[in-house]
Amino acid sequence: MLSLRRSLASATLAMSLAFVGTTAQATTGTPNNPVTVTDPELGEIIEGGTTQSVDPTRYDYVPDESQPIAASAWGHQAIGGYSISFKGLSLKIPAGTLAHDIQGGSTYIRREAAQYVLVASANICNYRIDFQNRDLRGRIVRTYTGNTVNKCARLVTVVRQIRKPFHVQPGVQCARLYAGGKFRGEQCHNIVK
């Protein structure tokens, strides 16, 4: 049975690589864990997984109140301010706006981009933007994990984009902001066939 599961995981990975159109190097976990592939242009791609609302440091975190914005190719989501601890001090990071743009049609995405803009003069530290596709039942189909910028930047617009076309499943496609090692918010678009 374990051999059959490994064969299925390998076949799924091969289909995923063909689907993305890449010659990526693959890393597989146990049959019960999502499959991770690495693409030189897209970065780390995590196939599958389930959502959870407990640990905001993980790629599969989705807050209970997460609601997609109605079908639109462009949207903004306010991300509330938060506090971080640094050398025993509590520092407040002001709010910002996460903008998310998808170009394409139906389940085909020609280009996807997101940017985060702080609304006040402040720093953002150890940040990244992920893109995540969830199906109609809320299950994670694929996460395109961004590179974490391990430094603080002042008065910046954090930008991430994928120019290589790809397909997604019907459901939602979300841009997700992580800063200081934790999920801070997301902006989602409905995806319909």
Side-chain angles (χ1 to χ4, degrees):
M1 185 64 145
L2 183 59
S3 172
L4 176 61
R5 286 183 183 168
R6 285 190 179 138
S7 296
L8 289 173
S10 296
T12 301
L13 177 60
M15 288 188 308
S16 298
L17 294 175
F19 178 74
V20 175
T22 180
T23 57
Q25 297 297 315
T27 306
T28 57
T30 65
N32 294 329
N33 289 330
V35 176
T36 301
V37 295
T38 303
D39 179 274
E41 188 173 329
L42 298 177
E44 182 180 74
I45 303 168
I46 304 168
E47 296 281 339
T50 58
T51 60
Q52 54 87 23
S53 299
V54 177
D55 184 355
T57 63
R58 293 178 22 182
Y59 85 97
D60 58 353
Y61 177 79
V62 177
D64 288 332
E65 68 276 359
S66 178
Q67 294 293 319
I69 290 177
S72 173
W74 176 257
H76 291 268
Q77 179 65 47
I79 306 292
Y82 55 93
S83 297
I84 60 171
S85 292
F86 179 74
K87 294 187 178 184
L89 298 173
S90 179
L91 304 174
K92 297 200 181 285
I93 307 298
T97 301
L98 181 62
H100 182 208
D101 176 37
I102 295 177
Q103 296 177 12
S106 185
T107 60
Y108 175 77
I109 294 179
R110 189 172 58 253
R111 179 184 167 278
E112 182 171 21
Q115 65 180 10
Y116 178 69
V117 180
L118 290 166
V119 295
S121 174
N123 290 342
I124 183 170
C125 301
N126 305 325
Y127 54 87
R128 79 173 197 257
I129 295 175
D130 294 351
F131 295 120
Q132 186 175 83
N133 179 226
R134 296 193 292 267
D135 68 15
L136 296 169
R137 294 182 184 164
R139 295 177 299 199
I140 297 170
V141 177
R142 181 175 291 124
T143 303
Y144 296 92
T145 305
N147 294 323
T148 300
V149 178
N150 290 309
K151 63 180 182 179
C152 293
R154 183 169 176 77
L155 297 173
V156 299
T157 298
V158 176
V159 177
R160 172 146 192 244
Q161 61 183 321
I162 295 177
R163 292 184 175 140
K164 183 177 181 179
F166 59 99
H167 289 272
V168 295
Q169 296 295 314
V172 294
Q173 181 74 6
C174 303
R176 301 164 53 80
L177 176 70
Y178 288 79
K182 291 186 179 178
F183 173 83
R184 301 299 177 179
E186 65 182 8
Q187 196 287 326
C188 300
H189 294 295
N190 290 322
I191 302 293
V192 295
K193 273 195 163 198

